Amino acid sequence: MAEKTKMKWNIKDIENWGWKKVPMGATIQEAGNAAYYKTGGWRTEKPVVDKEKCTNCLICWINCPDASIMVNDTKMEGFDYDHCKGCGICAKVCPPKAIEMQPEGGED
Ligand code: SF4
Ligand code: SF4
């Protein structure tokens, strides 16, 4: 994952900003900022892999819209739960059905 860089905007005194200081629309000023936001926080179901069934074909990795399949040395290693949104695409496309979607929070 990319190393975090310092955010450009200092909003400490935002209440004193005039309208001219507010950027146009809801613009995001920096590229490659997804790592700052833990989008997994609004997941209701999470993928769980059965490593006994997994063949490391990496079809889940190709299809994940959030780049949340962790791969090491061509092996599927699990999920980045900070950023996985729980869409279930990986479970749907997995040929041996090694991924199961489970309700979030059941283990806590
Ligand atoms: S799609 Fe299924 S079998 Fe292929 S790497 Fe992912 S979990 Fe493993
Ligand atoms: S549930 Fe969706 S976001 Fe999460 S790892 Fe699977 S494909 Fe990616």
Side-chain angles (χ1 to χ4, degrees), residues 4 7 28 30 32-42 82-83:
K4 289 183 182 181
M7 296 296 283
I28 294 173
E30 297 169 18
N33 56 53
Y36 297 135
Y37 305 103
K38 295 193 174 182
T39 48
W42 37 282
D82 280 347
H83 298 99

Side-chain angles (χ1 to χ4, degrees), residues 49-51 53-61 69 75-76 79 90 93-99:
V49 65
D50 179 344
K51 294 301 282 178
K53 289 185 187 172
C54 175
T55 59
N56 294 300
C57 66
L58 301 185
I59 289 175
C60 55
W61 175 73
I69 305 290
K75 301 267 188 285
M76 192 279 194
F79 307 93
C90 54
V93 299
C94 174
K97 301 293 173 214
I99 299 175

